[in-house]
Amino acid sequence: MSLRRILTVDNAADMAVLKQISTPVEGGVTDDLRRLMDDMLETMYAAPGIGLAAVQVGEPKQIIVMDLGDREGAEDGDDEGRRNPRYLINPEIVWSSEELASYEEGCLSVPEIYDDVQRPARVKIRYLNYAGEAVEEDASGLFAVCIQHEMDHLKGVLFIDHLSRLKRERAIKKVEKAARAA
Ligand code: NI
């Protein structure tokens, strides 16, 4: 496994990739894709983050990894407990609740920026898992937030695109400034 570089919004070339529409995976889940997903997961853990879309490591394919640490028996702050990896290939939202919920989101491609985004509180999703099996699942709470945030990435949409133009521009300037200082 190897760590991949996470694209960020302060870099124009990265931004052009982040804005791309990811293509569906065809021909099932291959070992090559599983290697990519393993790399994505390690990259996400190292960052650290709770979700990552393939486009964020420069591969505009419909692939998402996440780990919300919600494994049964896991305790808060328990590193071992965070190992509840999810792999979602070609995810689709087949139903969304009318009820909305607001959550303070962040993104590894927009480091150190957090802001409230409102989205449907619950969704029903369909995807292929690591083994290539079709799964249908109900998501609520942080899982629903994360899946919708990551699925936005597959459409070239960042969470800051849900904010006002002023807030979005301010966020990008802050990331640019931090990158220059580093
Ligand atoms: Ni993100």
Side-chain angles (χ1 to χ4, degrees):
M1 276 182 270
S2 51
L3 295 183
R4 309 277 297 245
R5 188 178 71 85
I6 297 175
L7 312 190
T8 52
V9 296
D10 53 287
N11 175 310
D14 285 5
M15 188 60 138
V17 177
L18 289 168
K19 287 279 147 197
Q20 284 184 29
I21 310 272
S22 293
T23 54
V25 167
E26 300 199 22
V29 180
T30 60
D31 285 345
D32 275 350
L33 284 185
R34 276 189 272 266
R35 260 191 295 277
L36 170 62
M37 291 191 283
D38 293 344
D39 286 352
M40 285 170 62
L41 196 74
E42 285 313 302
T43 302
M44 184 194 84
Y45 284 142
I50 59 170
L52 191 70
V55 69
Q56 292 180 274
V57 294
E59 306 260 6
K61 298 183 173 79
Q62 291 187 9
I63 299 175
I64 292 166
V65 298
M66 59 177 83
D67 189 338
L68 308 175
D70 52 352
R71 192 188 63 184
E72 211 147 320
E75 283 173 39
D76 278 351
D78 174 4
D79 259 353
E80 288 304 308
R82 224 167 80 80
R83 299 266 159 172
N84 179 27
R86 283 186 170 93
Y87 309 86
L88 304 96
I89 299 118
N90 296 345
E92 287 172 79
I93 291 177
V94 295
W95 175 83
S96 329
S97 67
E98 271 174 43
E99 184 198 346
L100 302 175
S102 182
Y103 192 88
E104 190 178 60
E105 298 188 18
C107 179
L108 294 176
S109 293
V110 196
E112 306 299 323
I113 303 293
Y114 303 91
D115 214 326
D116 289 331
V117 178
Q118 206 174 45
R119 305 180 185 273
R122 285 166 292 126
V123 292
K124 186 187 276 288
I125 54 172
R126 204 178 278 157
Y127 60 93
L128 300 178
N129 66 14
Y130 195 80
E133 300 155 340
V135 178
E136 199 170 274
E137 200 170 0
D138 291 309
S140 61
L142 183 56
F143 184 27
V145 172
C146 197
I147 183 76
Q148 292 176 88
H149 173 118
E150 300 308 330
M151 284 188 65
D152 268 357
H153 277 299
L154 307 185
K155 294 176 279 184
V157 174
L158 299 165
F159 87 94
I160 52 173
D161 292 324
H162 291 281
L163 308 178
S164 68
R165 194 174 134 193
L166 183 69
K167 278 189 168 182
R168 180 167 55 250
E169 285 171 356
R170 201 182 288 156
I172 292 173
K173 280 209 185 83
K174 255 175 141 174
V175 177
E176 285 169 350
K177 201 174 158 196
R180 273 198 306 270

